[in-house]
Structure formats: C-alpha cells, structure tokens
Amino acid sequence: MSASFPSLFPGMLLDAAGRYAEDHVAQEIQGDPVRELGWTATLVPEEAGGAGGTLSDLASIVEGLATHGLQLPVVETCAVVPLLLQAAGAETAHRWLEAVAEGSARIAPMTALSATPEHLAVAARHLDIGYELSGVVQGVDLTLPATHYLVPVQMDGDDAIFLVDAERVGAPKARYRTMEGRLGADFTLERLAVPESACIARGAAVREARAKATDAALLLTAADTVAALATLIRQTVIHLKERRQFGVALSSFQVLRHRVADMYVKYLGAKGLVIHCFHEYEQNAADLRRTLRLAKVSLAESARACAESAIQMHGGMGVSEEVLATRTAQRLIASEFRYGDRLMHVARLLAQPQSDERVSLSNQTGSVR
C-alpha cells in the first residue's frame, strides 16, 4: 500500500504557516504571532483594510499549523471574531474590522471552546444607563492576550453582541491548560455594568453572524482534524520503521501494518468529507449545517480511533508530549469536543427542525481540559 498525503489547501499561506509552526513548535509562544503575521486580516473585507480572503485561505493557515502540531487560536481570532463583528452597523463594523486587520485591537470571543458561537451563556439587562451582564462562560481560549471580548448574549428575548473592554471584565475565575495544550479560562460575570455603546448589534443580524461563525468554526476544525490525521499516520509509520522488536522492525508485523492501513482508510474518508463540506460551503448549499453536523460526527469517530491506535503503536503509556505523535493524538481527541461534541450534533440531527437549537445535550461547559 502506498500512502500519500497531498495538502488540502496548497499555496503560499500553507507554506508560510507550516514554516512558522516548524520553527516554533518546541518554543513557548511569545507575543501575538497570529496578529503579527497578519492572519487576522484574512477574512476582513478589503474596504476595511483586510485581505478580503476566503475561508479556504484561512484553512491553509490552519492546515499548516496542524501539520506541525502548533496550537494557536486561529479559528477564534481570524474567523469567529470578524464574522461576529459584521453583525454590527456599517460604521461600527468598519471601525472594528479595520482595527482587527491592523492588529491594534486584540479581540477574542467570550465563548466556550466546547460550544458553538450560537450557544448563549450570558444574559443582558437594560438599565437606565447602560447594561448589566450576568452569566458563566467556561472554557474560553486565552492562549493570546486580548484587549476586548466579543460576548454573544440573550437580552429581552432577543439576541445581541456586546464588545467589552478586557479591563472591565477583569481576570477569569480560573485558568488551566486544555488537553491539547491551549490556555483555557472560566469567566463569571456578576452584574457587570457596561455602557450603552458596548452593545454593537441586535436581532436578525446577530443570528445570521453567529450562524456564519458556527459554520466557519466547524469547517476549519474539520480541516485541522484532517491535517492532524495525516501527520499522525506519517509519524506512526516512521516509528514502526525505526523501532525494532525481536530483532526486526515493528513495521514487519502484519497486524501493525493492517492497523496503519485502517488509519489511512479513515484518513481518506475524512479528507473526502472535508472537501465535500468546503464545496457545499462555497455553493451556499441549503442544507450546509446538516452536512457539517454529519461530518463532525464522522470525523470525531475517525479522529478518536486513529489517536487511540497511534498511542498503542507508539508504546501506550510510554509516549511523552515531546513526541509529535502524542501532541497530535491529543489534538485529535480534543477536536471531538470543539464547537459541540458528537452527542450534541447527533441530537440536533435527530431533533425536529423547529426545536433544533433548543436541544442541549452537549458538553458545553468547557470541561475538556
């Protein structure tokens, strides 16, 4: 069997992200590389100073980082943030999108990594002067520093988005390392007073922006999963060829060869699914969300199966985080819980369309650490 792993999204962005990840994977993240490299401008429209790129362009960056096992919150800062900001009025959106493209505003979404941007954990109450925010958001990515938070909220039976200074929000209640190596945090907002200007969008525009952000997050996470699968299989094959047992290479054992073949078949299926999902996205397919949910369920099963096989073939508990295959396996297992786990997406698929968004069986508490 010949195994090949051609890139999903080849091009200069993939090469640049791959080189950066290869050079920095063994180092602690310094500064804000996502903004310093200009990746936050990818989805920002040209009239707002951005690159006017597509989701496929951003997927190139995601693939480059995942191939070398580097964790950076590209999905959150480069996709979710600009798509949510586009719900604001033209002047407000232009101002903040320009700041995002320039890197002068470091905006992070205050949403749980284990929930979609459509999940609302914060409620707002209109006061005589300004608003009051209350709620608990667990599992927010704080890998990179933020000057502002975008907070989706429920307010008087309607949807809204608030842009709040990080200093006003204050320190999180808890910080921790997530299972794939990100910095996670839990925030508790207790009647947090914010000015009138903090509410940047309400109504249908918010719902549309949150839906677009959710689709983008699911697509990019799927691309990340396929890139990580390719890396994991490559690393496993290298290990089996180099490691010897009973005087012969592990790769000579037929049972291990069959197991790698199973991983490769799952990789091919996952890759085909991601290509199909991006095609549906570009065609603006009517049932795109259903396609993404089905893909999420399938990819999660393939990712977990391949991660568990690779761990066993690398010696089970003998592996360490210095090994790229270990970090990739952790990344794949964690990806199952990003933007809704399998249980949530299966429940949404089985639910009646009118009650789709009311079903909540997911691990949306950000407890995957």
Side-chain angles (χ1 to χ4, degrees):
M1 181 191 73
S2 63
S4 61
F5 304 93
S7 300
L8 275 169
F9 304 97
M12 293 177 63
L13 282 171
L14 171 66
D15 296 339
R19 282 196 299 272
Y20 179 85
E22 192 171 12
D23 292 342
H24 295 81
V25 70
Q27 305 173 14
E28 186 177 347
I29 296 174
Q30 301 290 333
D32 191 338
V34 174
R35 295 177 177 89
E36 291 166 2
L37 292 167
W39 291 340
T40 52
T42 306
L43 289 188
V44 175
E46 291 183 13
E47 53 270 25
T54 66
L55 207 60
S56 296
D57 296 327
L58 200 53
S60 295
I61 298 171
V62 170
E63 183 181 5
L65 297 177
T67 299
H68 296 282
L70 183 64
Q71 286 285 358
L72 286 175
V74 172
V75 177
E76 291 74 30
T77 55
C78 304
V80 174
V81 165
L83 290 172
L84 290 181
L85 282 175
Q86 291 179 27
E91 185 179 346
T92 302
H94 185 279
R95 176 159 55 93
W96 285 107
L97 284 170
E98 193 173 47
V100 167
E102 293 173 349
S104 57
R106 296 177 294 186
I107 304 177
M110 187 176 282
T111 55
L113 282 171
S114 56
T116 70
E118 292 177 320
H119 175 70
L120 300 176
V122 178
R125 189 165 69 93
H126 201 179
L127 306 175
D128 292 338
I129 301 177
Y131 297 90
E132 184 179 87
L133 306 184
S134 299
V136 177
V137 188
Q138 296 178 306
V140 177
D141 187 288
L142 276 190
T143 305
L144 300 178
T147 58
H148 299 77
Y149 292 109
L150 268 177
V151 190
V153 307
Q154 185 80 33
M155 182 169 64
D156 301 329
D158 199 1
D159 298 319
I161 294 177
F162 281 69
L163 185 61
V164 186
D165 291 345
E167 290 184 0
R168 186 182 292 272
V169 173
K173 189 175 181 180
R175 294 176 185 265
Y176 44 84
R177 181 185 181 278
T178 64
M179 69 189 309
E180 73 268 51
R182 296 192 188 198
L183 177 61
D186 298 342
F187 285 90
T188 299
L189 307 182
E190 295 179 350
R191 305 178 66 179
L192 177 69
V194 298
E196 290 274 355
S197 59
C199 182
I200 62 170
R202 292 188 65 170
V206 172
R207 290 187 286 276
E208 182 180 356
R210 286 167 44 209
K212 287 182 178 178
T214 298
D215 291 344
L218 289 171
L219 275 166
L220 293 174
T221 303
D224 185 290
T225 297
V226 171
L229 275 174
T231 296
L232 185 63
I233 297 171
R234 272 197 299 263
Q235 293 298 311
T236 302
V237 170
I238 292 171
H239 174 77
L240 295 180
K241 286 181 176 178
E242 294 178 348
R243 187 68 183 269
R244 299 179 68 82
Q245 189 68 273
F246 306 116
V248 297
L250 289 178
S251 59
S252 64
F253 291 101
Q254 191 175 41
V255 65
L256 298 181
R257 297 169 70 91
H258 285 173
R259 202 155 185 181
V260 173
D262 287 341
M263 292 171 66
Y264 187 64
V265 170
K266 292 183 186 302
Y267 159 76
L268 291 178
K271 182 181 176 182
L273 269 177
V274 171
I275 293 173
H276 174 69
C277 288
F278 270 85
H279 177 74
E280 292 285 286
Y281 175 81
E282 291 166 357
Q283 298 297 317
N284 198 23
D287 57 349
L288 174 63
R289 181 60 62 85
R290 175 179 168 77
T291 302
L292 292 176
R293 291 195 194 285
L294 289 168
K296 172 75 178 183
V297 174
S298 178
L299 288 172
E301 292 174 351
S302 296
R304 177 173 287 274
C306 290
E308 291 175 350
S309 292
I311 289 171
Q312 290 301 315
M313 285 188 279
H314 275 80
M317 298 301 290
V319 297
S320 68
E321 291 195 355
E322 282 71 28
V323 179
L324 176 57
T326 304
R327 298 196 303 275
T328 307
Q330 292 173 330
R331 188 186 194 109
L332 286 170
I333 294 173
S335 68
E336 175 185 344
F337 300 95
R338 299 297 169 238
Y339 302 103
D341 59 16
R342 281 185 292 176
L343 184 60
M344 185 205 81
H345 288 288
V346 168
R348 296 283 172 87
L349 286 168
L350 295 174
Q352 294 297 322
Q354 61 270 22
S355 61
D356 184 51
E357 300 308 322
R358 290 200 294 270
V359 177
S360 182
L361 298 178
S362 168
N363 173 14
Q364 296 183 331
T365 62
S367 61
V368 181
R369 301 179 186 181

